[in-house]
Each structure stands twice: as C-alpha cells, then as structure tokens.
Amino acid sequence: MPLEEMRAELDRLVVGNELWDERVVVLQVTDAVGAVVRVRVLVSAKDGPTLFDLRCHVREGLVVWLQREHPTALPKVRNEGVAGPDVAPPRRPAAVDDGVRPTGAQAGLFTGSEQARERSRAFTGPSEAELAERARLDEESREQPLA
C-alpha cells in the first residue's frame, strides 16, 4: 500500500471539511505482520457526535480510494459454506418517522438536527477555568529544569 499517497488522500478528505476542527490529522502504521498492514487514522472534531461523523466520512473515503486506486491492497477473504442467493437477506426494521431527521447532505449523520445540537451542548469540553488551570500547569512544567 502506498502510504504517502494514502496520507495525501486523507488530507484531501479532511482539509476543508466542516466537521474537522483543524487540530489532528494523522495516518500511522500500527502493525505489519505477515500479509497484513494495519493503518490507524486519527482526526479531531469539536465534539463526540461530530467526530463520529468525520471518522465515518474518512473511513468510507479511504476505502473508496483504495478500491479505485489500489484494489490489490485490500484484504481478500474467502468464505466457504455461505448461503447462496436463494436465501432471503435479513429484514430491516421499519424506520420510525419522528419528523426531525435531517435531509440532504446531513441525512444519516449525527450532526445537523436539533437533537444533535442538544447532544452537542452536553459535550462542550472543559470550562474556561479548567483551560486556564491547564495552561498554568503547562507553564509551570516548562519552567522547571529537567532532571
């Protein structure tokens, strides 16, 4: 797998995306054993629901990119004894229409609806006092000489 090309695709997927908070975008190889290379992608967003959506977007985008540009880099798995096409797929439960689902580009995301905004308010992050205390501790640790 061409890692530098994959990093460039990750940047293309994240830079300019309204879900990304511009703090973290990293691609790392965390394992390479036998025929498997495990890649970890880290991105950041303003809150948990937004991060979930961004991670899904990035994951889907990288899979599509691999399928299109480097299909041989994808794992091949052979399943024997799997039911054939004459077996009906499992049925999905009918969706409940509560009238608050987002539409268009936001459909299917945790962000964009009033419910999502309510959830987001619960994940506001550290208070101004906590941030000030962290900054003070960081400054103190920089002032102390290394042993």
Side-chain angles (χ1 to χ4, degrees):
M1 175 178 351
L3 294 173
E4 289 310 312
E5 287 180 39
M6 192 173 206
R7 283 188 178 98
E9 180 64 11
L10 172 61
D11 287 344
R12 189 192 70 74
L13 289 166
V14 172
V15 173
N17 187 312
E18 65 184 21
L19 301 174
W20 184 48
D21 66 4
E22 300 183 16
R23 288 184 301 151
V24 177
V25 58
V26 176
L27 186 142
Q28 301 170 314
V29 174
T30 60
D31 202 6
V33 178
V36 177
V37 174
R38 185 174 304 238
V39 176
R40 177 181 184 197
V41 174
L42 300 173
V43 292
S44 60
K46 66 180 179 180
D47 57 37
T50 306
L51 178 59
F52 180 85
D53 289 339
L54 179 61
R55 289 172 65 188
C56 289
H57 170 76
V58 166
R59 192 177 301 118
E60 291 171 12
L62 289 176
V63 168
V64 167
W65 175 79
L66 278 171
Q67 288 172 328
R68 184 182 66 243
E69 300 295 327
H70 301 282
T72 58
L74 291 168
K76 305 277 189 265
V77 178
R78 179 179 174 166
N79 292 318
E80 294 186 20
V82 175
D86 56 331
V87 176
R91 297 184 68 207
R92 294 175 55 193
V96 176
D97 188 4
D98 56 7
V100 294
R101 291 199 176 106
T103 59
Q106 293 296 317
L109 299 179
F110 281 106
T111 54
S113 69
E114 183 55 38
Q115 288 175 331
R117 285 187 282 280
E118 289 293 324
R119 284 191 306 271
S120 177
R121 289 184 194 107
F123 294 98
T124 57
S127 68
E128 292 297 321
E130 290 169 312
L131 291 173
E133 177 65 9
R134 288 179 188 178
R136 185 187 65 76
L137 292 172
D138 286 346
E139 186 61 33
E140 284 179 7
S141 68
R142 277 185 239 133
E143 292 173 358
Q144 297 196 6
L146 295 174

